[in-house]
Amino acid sequence: MCGIFAYFGPKDNALEIVIKGLKKLEYRGYDSWGVALKVANDFVIHKELGKIGDFSFADIAKITQSGAVQSKINTSKFSDRFKISIGHSRWATHGGVTEYNAHPQWSHDQEIVLCHNGIFENYLEIKKKLIDKGYTFRSETDTEVLAHLIADYLKNFDFETATKKALAEMTGRYAVIVLFKNEDKIIAARRGSPLIVGKGGVSNEYFIASDIPAFVEYTNKVQYLDDNQMVIIDQFGARFEDMITKLPIEKRVVEIIWRYEEADKGDFPHFMIKEIMEQKETLYRAINQNENILSQVAEAIKKARGAFFVGCGTAGKVCMTAEYIFSKIAKRHINVLFGSEFKFHEHFLTDQSLLLAISQSGETADTLEAIEIIQKKGGKVVSIVNNEASTMARISDMMIPIKAGPEKAVASTKATTSQIAICILLAYALINRLHDGKQILIETASQINDMLNPRYEEHIQQVAEFLKNFESLYIIGRGLNYPMALEGAIKLQEVTYIHAQGFAGGELKHGPIALISKNTPCIVLVANDESKNEILSNAIEVKARGGYIIGISPENAEVFDYWIKVPDNSNTSPIINIIPIQILAYQLALLRQNNPDMPRNLAKSVTVK
Ligand code: M6R
């Protein structure tokens, strides 16, 4: 994970640009952060623990004037032609959350300073060789190894050659941005983690970032680095190179259309609740699809010898929901796998296989790995993504945008319901009844619009008050609502830190029912379909053991101790039933004094395996 960002250009406020950009990348990791500013032939480096959100911009002056934490530099020398700065927002992989482990990392005398997103898998082996050569390490990170390795090569080679030689030795997935104190030059390279170059408005101005929002306020002209590509930026402009063939690459400049203001909280206290409420509109946007693409994807599913729906976390639960939707509506079998498990099914793949990747970010490393595997086998890929500029969108044969708009809160909400809507459309497209699918979803969108009002939130607030001190709770569902029981548990775990667990209602009696005792809360997801009577029976079984039953259901039932009413729409019940749990999770997070937008230990975009 982690967000990396660099500025190269004439602006004096390079450091401020980088810190502001990093704030936009905090969704990728927020346990610590750091920046480096090149000043003549030296660096000012500053690191902090915690979120950049807590940093006051008034302190920028202090960083440059005081000579920063680790560097004693006279910044009056700051008159360089090019202002060069890099920064990093961290999600710890190697080494705890400490100032030493925060990036930028550097070689001994800070001649090489770099930021890194990803994992160097062979770092221990290289670290050992460097230690044998006399290098000492300050941090526990894999990143510091690269800094020393480049410095080692610098003894015999120039900066560019040294960096290329060092990168050629590193294995794993990464994006790195490297600076050298004696040259006005940035070298950035990508293998597996995203990196995008923004071409600034003035001549010789460049931004390099893990994601576009970091620099979109300055430019909409972007150049995407693909895997095994690097860019070298200096006074002559930006040169792109293939790291394997070593040949120069011509990079197309793409002008992106980005609704920048959409990513603000507006009048809402948190992104999470804003995004939950946006579901009044996002479903309409998801439905408004290019019908030709939907039909082409449906045709590809029909023809495929094995259609695999792949996603991680919440997106993985959407894939599980798709399995039930396809069975019920289209009577068609699909395979469902989590991204991280896909490689273990590699032997089932042929050039006739089809992978449908579901992802909000389009950057999840485990899902990208699944795509790489199927592409190696010659199979085709369809991505169902929110970020249309993402790696997944760009490397897929076909792409269905879910059009939910930027989702900033770590807990996925509006993207989830839009992804389910796309799966429903595809299932109807498979049986040539796309129009019916759209109608059902339009009706659902209007029902959600009616449901999401302050009275509804207050009603859920009451049960949140009851639940706030419990340390475990369970969610059960059957059929279409079984994956949503699992998804509801993820939502609650992520932001409330309560031990929440989802089960298929019928599975309880095979073991988990032993967990129920007096007052154990159990949320029961009910739909007005063939699963209704059985899930209510499961609720009765829980109640008989003392459980406290919270029913999320179109109709009340005697077994419920607390009833949260939802609109009645049997084929879209996963969309409808998950929304009250999203609200409940949000309210519980607040009651338990957690930050719902940036929960502990998590990041929005999971770009490491
Ligand atoms: O960006 P993606 O949809 O590929 O992300 C996959 C998961 O990391 C993501 O759904 C995660 O589980 C969410 N934080 C859940 O709310």
Side-chain angles (χ1 to χ4, degrees):
M1 280 105 91
C2 309
I4 57 178
F5 186 38
Y7 175 81
F8 181 102
K11 294 199 172 92
D12 283 339
N13 64 337
L15 194 57
E16 185 180 342
I17 291 172
V18 168
I19 296 177
K20 271 170 117 182
L22 284 181
K23 259 188 168 191
K24 304 268 164 43
L25 297 178
E26 257 191 321
Y27 71 89
R28 308 175 66 85
Y30 41 78
D31 56 42
S32 52
W33 62 279
V35 282
L37 174 73
K38 188 170 177 300
V39 185
N41 291 338
D42 225 325
F43 292 103
V44 172
I45 297 174
H46 181 82
K47 300 181 184 188
E48 286 197 21
L49 301 187
K51 301 181 179 68
I52 307 163
D54 303 334
F55 179 75
S56 145
F57 277 84
D59 292 340
I60 286 185
K62 278 195 227 150
I63 297 181
T64 46
Q65 279 156 24
S66 71
V69 181
Q70 286 93 357
S71 181
K72 304 272 176 289
I73 295 171
N74 173 7
T75 49
S76 60
K77 286 194 285 176
F78 186 38
S79 58
D80 310 46
R81 180 171 160 213
F82 294 106
K83 317 298 180 225
I84 300 173
S85 178
I86 57 172
H88 184 274
S89 177
R90 182 168 187 245
W91 185 84
T93 57
H94 294 62
V97 182
T98 65
E99 223 171 89
Y100 280 131
N101 290 335
H103 299 208
Q105 292 288 326
W106 56 84
S107 60
H108 280 301
D109 50 359
Q110 291 190 351
E111 54 181 351
I112 292 294
V113 169
L114 52 84
C115 291
H116 164 219
N117 164 211
I119 292 174
F120 293 126
E121 284 164 0
N122 59 340
Y123 82 105
L124 281 176
E125 188 188 308
I126 294 180
K127 187 171 181 174
K128 190 175 172 311
K129 278 190 209 157
L130 288 166
I131 290 172
D132 291 347
K133 279 186 166 186
Y135 287 87
T136 52
F137 285 77
R138 295 153 46 95
S139 79
E140 302 152 277
T141 65
D142 49 339
T143 307
E144 194 184 354
V145 171
L146 180 65
H148 290 306
L149 190 60
I150 297 175
D152 196 51
Y153 276 118
L154 264 179
K155 290 177 187 161
N156 301 309
F157 300 96
D158 60 44
F159 174 38
E160 238 180 271
T161 314
T163 306
K164 287 176 189 170
K165 284 191 172 291
L167 283 173
E169 281 189 42
M170 307 307 298
T171 61
R173 303 171 78 91
Y174 60 79
V176 282
I177 307 181
V178 190
L179 304 182
F180 173 41
K181 70 175 183 179
N182 294 334
E183 287 185 40
D184 282 351
K185 186 178 273 189
I186 294 184
I187 301 181
R190 165 189 171 143
R191 185 189 291 158
S193 300
L195 212 47
I196 302 153
V197 177
K199 217 168 170 312
V202 293
S203 95
N204 243 335
E205 183 181 50
Y206 294 93
F207 306 84
I208 310 174
S210 307
D211 199 0
I212 293 168
F215 58 71
V216 74
E217 79 180 89
Y218 309 102
T219 181
N220 67 342
K221 294 191 178 63
V222 306
Q223 292 170 293
Y224 296 102
L225 278 184
D226 294 320
D227 279 347
N228 297 306
Q229 294 185 346
M230 71 187 333
V231 62
I232 298 128
I233 294 173
D234 58 19
Q235 57 175 319
F236 304 109
R239 275 180 293 130
F240 293 86
E241 201 176 296
D242 186 305
M243 289 161 71
I244 296 172
T245 63
K246 317 261 189 284
L247 293 172
I249 309 165
E250 276 303 314
K251 270 279 162 200
R252 203 161 60 91
V253 177
V254 181
E255 287 203 18
I256 49 153
I257 304 161
W258 196 277
R259 275 165 300 175
Y260 178 58
E261 60 297 334
E262 252 192 303
D264 282 336
K265 272 191 281 212
D267 292 334
F268 290 92
H270 297 99
F271 279 110
M272 185 175 176
I273 190 66
K274 176 184 180 241
E275 288 157 8
I276 291 171
M277 290 303 154
E278 278 177 350
Q279 291 172 108
K280 291 176 179 182
E281 302 113 40
T282 46
L283 220 49
Y284 288 111
R285 294 213 293 266
I287 301 163
N288 186 13
Q289 288 292 336
N290 178 329
E291 294 191 7
N292 277 339
I293 294 190
L294 288 177
S295 306
Q296 281 169 30
V297 173
E299 204 49 39
I301 295 173
K302 266 187 214 164
K303 283 200 188 132
R305 300 183 79 175
F308 294 82
F309 278 64
V310 176
C312 301
T314 291
K317 306 302 174 291
V318 173
C319 294
M320 291 177 71
T321 313
E323 188 180 6
Y324 286 89
I325 291 169
F326 274 64
S327 156
K328 187 170 177 174
I329 299 169
K331 318 274 177 285
R332 181 168 289 268
H333 172 73
I334 57 162
N335 304 281
V336 172
L337 285 165
F338 295 133
S340 53
E341 291 295 309
F342 190 77
K343 57 174 160 286
F344 306 111
H345 296 69
E346 188 170 6
H347 35 272
F348 296 137
L349 305 176
T350 69
D351 58 0
Q352 306 293 305
S353 309
L354 177 72
L355 185 144
L356 293 102
I358 299 189
S359 173
Q360 189 286 128
S361 63
E363 298 293 352
T364 301
D366 290 326
T367 310
L368 282 170
E369 184 192 53
I371 293 179
E372 275 166 28
I373 292 170
I374 198 158
Q375 285 182 332
K376 272 195 197 132
K377 294 270 185 176
K380 292 270 181 283
V381 176
V382 176
S383 58
I384 299 172
V385 288
N386 197 26
N387 183 354
E388 294 172 43
S390 61
T391 306
M392 244 174 251
R394 286 183 293 114
I395 64 175
S396 299
D397 299 287
M398 282 187 271
M399 189 262 293
I400 304 178
I402 66 164
K403 303 182 192 172
E407 193 183 64
K408 305 287 280 183
V410 164
S412 182
T413 54
K414 60 177 180 170
T416 313
T417 47
S418 292
Q419 288 161 347
I420 299 173
I422 300 292
C423 295
I424 293 175
L425 288 179
L426 282 175
Y428 277 98
L430 268 166
I431 52 170
N432 301 320
R433 284 177 49 204
L434 186 54
H435 182 74
D436 291 346
K438 279 192 165 183
Q439 275 315 111
I440 290 169
L441 284 163
I442 288 170
E443 195 183 306
T444 307
S446 138
Q447 289 171 316
I448 289 171
N449 190 38
D450 294 344
M451 175 175 92
L452 287 175
N453 60 56
R455 262 178 301 112
Y456 199 67
E457 283 180 80
E458 273 163 35
H459 183 64
I460 297 174
Q461 179 81 31
Q462 282 173 33
V463 77
E465 290 284 350
F466 168 74
L467 293 172
K468 71 179 179 208
N469 294 321
F470 281 91
E471 285 310 320
S472 321
L473 68 81
Y474 302 98
I475 310 181
I476 56 171
R478 289 181 87 116
L480 281 172
N481 280 280
Y482 160 49
M484 286 302 104
L486 303 181
E487 165 53 14
I490 294 190
K491 277 303 79 73
L492 288 155
Q493 292 157 2
E494 276 184 301
V495 299
T496 72
Y497 315 149
I498 292 174
H499 168 238
Q501 220 176 330
F503 294 107
E507 277 294 295
L508 284 182
K509 58 186 176 290
H510 297 287
I513 203 158
L515 296 166
I516 307 294
S517 61
K518 189 165 166 26
N519 265 339
T520 306
C522 180
I523 301 175
V524 182
L525 301 180
V526 185
N528 231 342
D529 64 11
E530 62 286 356
S531 70
K532 180 178 163 185
N533 291 339
E534 284 177 339
I535 192 72
L536 287 174
S537 301
N538 299 141
I540 292 167
E541 289 155 15
V542 174
K543 193 165 175 126
R545 273 101 191 150
Y548 180 87
I549 308 293
I550 300 154
I552 294 182
S553 161
E555 287 152 11
N556 203 350
E558 210 184 316
V559 64
F560 298 157
D561 294 296
Y562 198 87
W563 175 40
I564 301 175
K565 184 173 170 29
V566 283
D568 191 358
N569 211 329
S570 62
N571 278 345
T572 58
S573 64
I575 295 178
I576 291 170
N577 283 355
I578 196 63
I579 293 176
I581 304 191
Q582 295 171 348
I583 299 172
L584 177 67
Y586 173 73
Q587 292 174 340
L588 276 170
L590 297 189
L591 288 169
R592 291 167 68 93
Q593 296 183 346
N594 301 338
N595 178 346
D597 286 346
M598 291 183 164
R600 70 183 183 202
N601 306 341
L602 294 174
K604 179 73 179 158
S605 201
V606 186
T607 57
V608 292
K609 282 201 286 164

